[in-house]
Amino acid sequence: MTHYAKNAHPALALAPEVAEALAGGRPVVALESTIISHGMPYPRNVEMAREVEQIVRDGGATPATIAILDGVARIGLSTDELELLATHPDVAKVSIRDLPHVMATKRHGATTVASTMRLAALAGIKVFVTGGLGGVHRGAEDSMDISADLTELSLTDVAVVSAGVKSILDIGRTLEVLETLGVPVVTFGSDEFPSFYSRSSGFSAPMRTDTVEELAEMMRVKWDLGLRGGIAVTNPVPAEDEMAPEAISALIDQAVAECGERGIIGKDITPFLLGRIVELSDGASLETNIALVRSNARLGSALARAYAAVAPVA
């Protein structure tokens, strides 16, 4: 097990390399753990996690994969702990509402986008890399199923790098909610908002930037102005790895229909849909998922470096 450094915040345990990097003002990139425990099959999940951490290191930043182990919020994991998350049969999927219970009962938990954002912010980490954002689910006008990711983006000062809103969701309504919440949504290098598996979604990007320096300056200006909350940085999947929108759309429609037929609700919906799409696509969606996470890690490490260069001195 990792020997964790003491941290100013009593709820967290920072791995030594993360604590040292933060203390020295060096760039750190937060990584979620739900993608390890609930997003991909073993052993691809742990292989992907190790690879993404290495991409962050190669990009000049320190990776900090975040999870709950034995009720403790860990900021940075060892190889053995990544393996535990990937293989343990009882790892809870932990969003914001679940944090108190999972920590109080000393369980293992994998953090979602929302809970990873909150824990990263408590640790002082300003850049977080994930695969895709949660959002407004299809049919939310009846179910009211809206991801806590959106609320957390309006509250927590972290820039979240993703490949857009997961395309199993209602992208248009998600963008409307983000606008209402005052969350800047900026697409890197494209005028079109991406849709996770594909570079296009049919929706224009609310904002565009082509350099990490501009993104870092957006972060600095936003928080200097006292504008609370995060920035959604969307990074289209590389063109050579994307799935054709019409092909993935048909698979999503089938998976969503099956989800309804089986009565799957709440936080079980996304893992089911992503897993079913992997099956229906004969594994092609998994390869795209891995490719976009790699791409996001490269952008995230570059952004963390750029922000460290302009960040106010604490």
Side-chain angles (χ1 to χ4, degrees):
M1 297 289 284
T2 298
H3 296 285
Y4 287 92
K6 290 182 180 179
N7 180 58
H9 198 289
L12 309 182
L14 272 65
E17 69 166 340
V18 175
E20 290 167 10
L22 290 170
R26 297 191 299 276
V28 178
V29 174
L31 302 166
E32 61 151 302
S33 47
T34 297
I35 195 171
I36 302 170
S37 62
H38 294 79
M40 294 183 183
Y42 183 81
R44 292 303 298 277
N45 50 3
V46 72
E47 292 170 355
M48 183 275 307
R50 290 172 182 155
E51 180 184 4
V52 169
E53 287 197 342
Q54 190 58 51
I55 290 171
V56 171
R57 287 192 177 93
D58 292 344
T62 298
T65 300
I66 294 176
I68 311 299
L69 297 179
D70 297 314
V72 178
R74 313 280 190 176
I75 314 298
L77 302 180
S78 69
T79 297
D80 288 344
E81 288 159 348
L82 289 174
E83 188 78 22
L84 182 153
L85 278 175
T87 59
H88 197 282
D90 186 26
V91 176
K93 182 180 178 183
V94 181
S95 189
I96 286 293
R97 69 168 188 176
D98 309 301
L99 278 171
H101 183 259
V102 171
M103 293 176 72
T105 55
K106 303 188 184 310
R107 294 182 61 193
H108 297 325
T111 52
T112 65
V113 169
S115 53
T116 303
M117 279 188 73
R118 182 66 61 92
L119 295 174
L122 289 176
I125 301 171
K126 293 296 189 179
V127 176
F128 163 39
V129 164
T130 186
L133 291 176
V136 179
H137 280 256
R138 300 182 187 196
E141 62 272 23
D142 297 318
S143 69
M144 294 299 293
D145 193 346
I146 301 174
S147 172
D149 296 357
L150 304 187
T151 304
E152 198 62 27
L153 273 163
S154 73
L155 297 173
T156 300
D157 298 354
V158 174
V160 182
V161 180
S162 76
V165 176
K166 294 185 178 75
S167 47
I168 57 177
L169 305 175
D170 188 321
I171 294 175
R173 285 189 169 93
T174 299
L175 288 171
E176 289 290 347
V177 171
L178 286 169
E179 180 181 1
T180 299
L181 293 173
V183 177
V185 179
V186 55
T187 298
F188 189 76
S190 177
D191 291 321
E192 188 168 5
F193 186 80
S195 60
F196 194 64
Y197 295 116
S198 305
R199 294 177 61 82
S200 61
S201 67
F203 295 92
S204 297
M207 306 170 194
R208 171 179 176 159
T209 187
D210 295 292
T211 70
V212 291
E213 288 77 17
E214 283 185 352
L215 285 172
E217 186 66 2
M218 280 186 64
M219 294 164 65
R220 186 194 66 77
V221 170
K222 183 179 193 296
W223 298 326
D224 277 358
L225 289 172
L227 298 175
R228 189 180 183 189
I231 296 176
V233 179
T234 57
N235 181 36
V237 60
E240 63 271 20
D241 297 305
E242 76 168 330
M243 299 182 71
E246 59 276 8
I248 191 64
S249 179
L251 300 182
I252 290 170
D253 289 345
Q254 181 176 341
V256 168
E258 292 179 12
C259 187
E261 292 166 1
R262 301 186 190 192
I264 297 170
I265 60 173
K267 63 183 179 181
D268 294 328
I269 292 176
T270 297
F272 170 80
L273 291 176
L274 294 178
R276 186 66 181 124
I277 291 166
V278 170
E279 295 172 353
L280 293 171
S281 67
D282 293 325
S285 66
L286 177 59
E287 297 307 315
T288 296
N289 196 345
I290 292 171
L292 64 85
V293 172
R294 289 181 184 130
S295 176
N296 293 346
R298 288 189 287 270
L299 177 57
S301 58
L303 178 57
R305 286 200 326 273
Y307 182 70
V310 301
V313 177

